[in-house]
Amino acid sequence: MSSILPRCPIVVSQFGKNLGVYFMMTVPEQSHANPAAASGRVEFVDALRGFALFGLLVVHSIQHFGAGFNGPTSEPWSVVIHTIFAGKAFAIFALLFGFGFATIMANQRSRGIDFTGRFVWRLVLLLLIGTLHSLIYSGDILQVLALMGFLLIPLDRVRSNLVLLAIAALCFLQIPLLAQALLAHWGSAFAGSVPYVVAGPASQALTEGSFLDVTLYNATGGLAGKWSFNWSTGRVSEIAGLFVVGVVLQRTGMFARLSQERHLALKAVTIGGLVLAMTILFGKPLLPTSSAAGEFAIWPFSARWIYEQWFGLALITIQIGILALLWNSSAQFLVGIFKLPGRMTLSLYVLHSVLAAPFFYEYGLGMWDDLSPPNAVFAAIIFFALQIAFAKWWYAQYRYGPLEWTWRAATLTDWKVPMRNHPQSA
C-alpha cells in the first residue's frame, strides 16, 4: 500500500482537473445568480429528477428494499442495474438538491427577502420527514440530504463560482478517506477498524421479523448502518461536492442551456466519457487487492469506493448529456415522461417505501425471496408507469404533490398556499 497510496491523490487530482475543464470553459466568474435561471421552472430539471427517482426505484427493487442483501448479489441483472443506477441516481438527486437550494435562495433574493432562516426551517422539516420515513425503510436518503443541506447555508455567501468549484474538487478528492488510510498505515487501530456497515448485525428483521421488529431495527441498527455507509464510503464528501456543483449550475443557468444547446450536451457526454475512460484505464489498475482471504483492510475498501465515486461522477455526466440530447430531439418524449413524476419526487419516493416494505418484508407478503431480479426490475417499471399516469392525473388538478404542498406550506407557515390549479369561487 505504501507505494500506491501516495500516488492516489495525484491520480484523483488529475481526474478532477479533467472534469473541471468543462466547467471552466462554460462557467463565468460571476457573483450573483443567473436571472433567467432564477425566474422560471426548468422542465429539463424536473425530467432529471424523475429519471433519478426511477433509478432509485429500480435499484431498491432489485435489492428488495434491503432484504435482498441477504441473498446473492452477483446475478447479471443486479450487476447491470447497479452499474447504471446504484450511486448514480442518488448523485443526481444530490446535485439537484444543491440546484434547488440555489434556485430558492435566488428567487427570494430577487424579491429582497433573506430566506436563510426559512430554509433552515425547511431542512428541519425535511429531516423530520426523512426520520419518519427511515422507520419504514432504513435506506432513506431524505435524512442524509437534510442534515448535509445545512452545509449549503454558508456556501450561499460565497459569490465566486470558481471558489465554489475549488471547494467541490476538494470534496471529490476524498481527503478524509485518504487521511484515514494513512493513519491506519501508520498503525492507528481505530482508523483501520472495520466499519459498522461491514461488521454490524445483518437485517434479519426484514426477512423474519414483525412490523415492530422492522421499525426497531430501522431506528437502531439500520440507522447506524446507513450513516456508517455514507461516511466510510466517502459519500458524505461526495454529496457535499455535488451540492456545490449544483449551486454553480443554477447560478450559471447551465441546465436551461443544456436543454436548449446541443453542443453543450455533446460536451458533457465527451467530458464524461474521457473521465470515465481515464478512471477505468488509470484508476482501476491502482486498486489494491485485499491482504488476506476474509481479512478486512481499510485501504482496499476505501480505494474501491474512491474509484466508484469517480466512475459514478463520469457516468452521471454522460447520462445528463445524453438526456439533454434526447430532450433536444424528436425523441424528447423519452425524457419527457419523467417530467411530471419529477415534480413530485418527495411524495413518490416516500410512497415507494410505504408500498414496497409490506410487499417485500416478512411482516407483509414476504416477497423478498420469491421475486427474481428480472421480475423485480419488471415490477419496478410497471409501478413507475402507474406513477407517471398518477402524476399526470394529479397535476391536471393540483399545483403541487401532496407532500410537496405540505412541505411548502409548513416552510412558509402558511396553510393558505393554493393547492388547486383553479381554486373554486366562493
Side-chain angles (χ1 to χ4, degrees):
M1 186 184 82
S2 58
S3 63
I4 296 177
L5 185 55
R7 300 201 323 247
C8 189
I10 299 174
V11 175
V12 173
S13 178
Q14 185 61 42
F15 290 164
K17 289 179 181 178
N18 282 277
L19 188 63
V21 168
Y22 175 65
F23 293 110
M24 294 294 288
M25 289 190 301
T26 55
V27 175
E29 173 64 18
Q30 294 178 351
S31 61
H32 300 288
N34 186 298
S39 61
R41 192 177 194 98
V42 181
E43 291 189 333
F44 178 61
V45 171
D46 290 330
L48 286 179
R49 283 197 183 95
F51 176 77
L53 180 69
F54 171 72
L56 284 178
L57 175 61
V58 174
V59 171
H60 293 164
S61 295
I62 209 166
Q63 295 172 349
H64 298 171
F65 276 71
F69 284 127
N70 293 329
T73 57
S74 59
E75 204 274 351
W77 277 81
S78 297
V79 173
V80 171
I81 293 300
H82 280 78
T83 300
I84 298 174
F85 291 116
K88 292 80 176 178
F90 178 86
I92 293 176
F93 262 124
L95 184 72
L96 297 181
F97 193 90
F99 175 89
F101 162 80
T103 300
I104 291 172
M105 299 300 284
N107 285 341
Q108 296 298 324
R109 193 178 292 117
S110 67
R111 301 184 182 106
I113 300 173
D114 182 356
F115 204 70
T116 304
R118 288 285 182 183
F119 196 85
V120 169
W121 174 234
R122 180 177 175 85
L123 290 174
V124 171
L125 292 170
L126 184 63
L127 178 61
L128 176 61
I129 295 172
T131 300
L132 292 175
H133 178 240
S134 67
L135 297 178
I136 301 172
Y137 171 53
S138 63
D140 161 80
I141 66 173
L142 302 176
Q143 191 183 63
V144 178
L145 293 176
L147 279 175
M148 294 204 60
F150 287 99
L151 297 175
L152 288 164
I153 303 299
L155 291 174
D156 186 54
R157 309 297 180 185
V158 179
R159 298 307 184 197
S160 169
N161 291 332
L162 295 181
V163 170
L164 288 177
L165 288 177
I167 293 173
L170 287 174
C171 293
F172 294 144
L173 284 176
Q174 291 295 343
I175 294 174
L177 292 190
L178 294 172
Q180 181 181 0
L182 274 175
L183 289 173
H185 181 61
W186 291 337
S188 170
F190 177 76
S193 60
V194 183
Y196 179 85
V197 69
V198 176
S203 54
Q204 268 85 16
L206 308 183
T207 58
E208 300 174 6
S210 65
F211 175 78
L212 183 60
D213 293 331
V214 170
T215 303
L216 183 60
Y217 167 78
N218 288 340
T220 54
L223 181 66
K226 176 177 68 178
W227 283 101
S228 173
F229 172 80
N230 280 284
W231 175 259
S232 61
T233 63
R235 185 164 282 187
V236 167
S237 292
E238 182 183 0
I239 292 169
L242 289 165
F243 278 177
V244 177
V245 173
V247 170
V248 174
L249 292 177
Q250 190 281 334
R251 288 184 177 184
T252 57
M254 186 58 67
F255 280 126
R257 293 175 60 193
L258 275 172
S259 66
Q260 299 169 4
E261 304 174 29
R262 290 180 60 84
H263 73 280
L264 286 180
L266 285 170
K267 281 185 179 180
V269 174
T270 302
I271 294 296
L274 288 173
V275 175
L276 184 65
M278 290 183 63
T279 302
I280 295 172
L281 292 175
F282 300 108
K284 197 168 186 178
L286 288 177
L287 292 177
T289 56
S290 298
S291 54
E295 181 181 342
F296 177 84
I298 192 65
W299 173 235
F301 179 83
S302 299
R304 168 62 62 178
W305 284 106
I306 293 174
Y307 172 83
E308 291 293 337
Q309 173 202 259
W310 284 97
F311 184 93
L313 290 174
L315 197 57
I316 67 168
T317 304
I318 296 171
Q319 289 175 349
I320 291 172
I322 292 175
L323 291 171
L325 288 172
L326 291 172
W327 186 268
N328 274 289
S329 72
S330 58
Q332 185 186 97
F333 70 94
L334 293 174
V335 184
I337 60 174
F338 297 106
K339 183 175 65 176
L340 291 180
R343 288 177 58 187
M344 57 191 311
T345 51
L346 179 60
S347 297
L348 295 180
Y349 175 70
V350 172
L351 181 66
H352 291 175
S353 303
V354 169
L355 296 181
F359 178 79
F360 284 114
Y361 298 169
E362 192 63 28
Y363 70 75
L365 296 179
M367 296 295 291
W368 66 272
D369 60 346
D370 296 319
L371 208 62
S372 67
N375 287 337
V377 173
F378 180 72
I381 293 173
I382 296 300
F383 185 34
F384 196 79
L386 293 174
Q387 292 173 61
I388 293 173
F390 171 75
K392 184 176 181 179
W393 171 82
W394 182 271
Y395 281 111
Q397 305 172 76
Y398 303 105
R399 298 185 181 189
Y400 310 104
L403 276 182
E404 283 74 14
W405 179 86
T406 305
W407 191 22
R408 183 184 185 91
T411 297
L412 300 174
T413 58
D414 179 8
W415 299 103
K416 295 182 180 180
V417 172
M419 180 63 164
R420 287 190 172 274
N421 284 326
H422 305 288
Q424 298 294 327
S425 301

